[in-house]
Coordinates of all heavy atoms in Angstrom, one line a residue:
A68 N -11.0 3.6 -28.4 CA -10.3 4.9 -28.0 C -11.3 6.0 -27.9 O -11.3 6.8 -27.0 CB -9.2 5.2 -29.0
G69 N -12.3 6.1 -28.9 CA -13.3 7.1 -28.9 C -14.2 7.0 -27.7 O -14.6 8.0 -27.1
A119 N -29.0 29.2 -8.3 CA -28.0 28.7 -7.4 C -28.3 27.3 -7.0 O -27.4 26.5 -6.8 CB -28.0 29.6 -6.1
F150 N -42.3 30.9 -5.6 CA -42.1 30.1 -6.8 C -42.5 28.7 -6.5 O -41.8 28.0 -5.7 CB -40.7 30.2 -7.3 CG -40.3 31.5 -7.9 CD1 -39.9 32.6 -7.1 CD2 -40.3 31.6 -9.3 CE1 -39.6 33.8 -7.7 CE2 -39.9 32.8 -9.9 CZ -39.6 33.9 -9.1
E208 N -42.2 15.5 -3.9 CA -43.0 14.2 -3.8 C -42.2 13.2 -3.0 O -41.0 13.0 -3.3 CB -43.3 13.7 -5.2 CG -44.4 14.4 -5.9 CD -45.7 14.0 -5.4 OE1 -45.8 13.1 -4.6 OE2 -46.7 14.7 -5.8
A217 N -32.8 5.8 -2.9 CA -32.6 4.4 -3.3 C -31.6 4.2 -4.4 O -30.7 3.3 -4.4 CB -33.9 3.7 -3.6
Q269 N 37.7 -23.3 -3.0 CA 38.9 -23.7 -3.7 C 39.9 -22.5 -3.8 O 41.1 -22.6 -3.7 CB 38.5 -24.1 -5.1 CG 37.8 -25.4 -5.2 CD 38.6 -26.6 -4.7 OE1 39.9 -26.6 -4.9 NE2 38.0 -27.7 -4.2
R303 N 23.0 -14.5 -0.6 CA 22.2 -14.5 0.6 C 21.2 -13.3 0.7 O 20.0 -13.5 1.1 CB 23.1 -14.5 1.8 CG 23.8 -15.8 2.1 CD 24.4 -15.8 3.5 NE 25.4 -14.8 3.7 CZ 26.7 -15.0 3.4 NH1 27.1 -16.2 3.0 NH2 27.6 -14.0 3.6
V341 N 30.7 11.5 -4.1 CA 29.4 11.5 -3.5 C 29.0 12.9 -3.1 O 29.7 13.5 -2.3 CB 29.2 10.5 -2.4 CG1 27.8 10.5 -1.8 CG2 29.6 9.1 -2.8
A431 N 22.5 5.1 -21.4 CA 23.8 4.3 -21.4 C 24.3 4.4 -22.9 O 23.6 3.8 -23.8 CB 23.5 2.9 -21.0

Side-chain angles (χ1 to χ4, degrees):
F150 287 82
E208 284 285 352
Q269 293 294 334
R303 283 196 299 270
V341 177

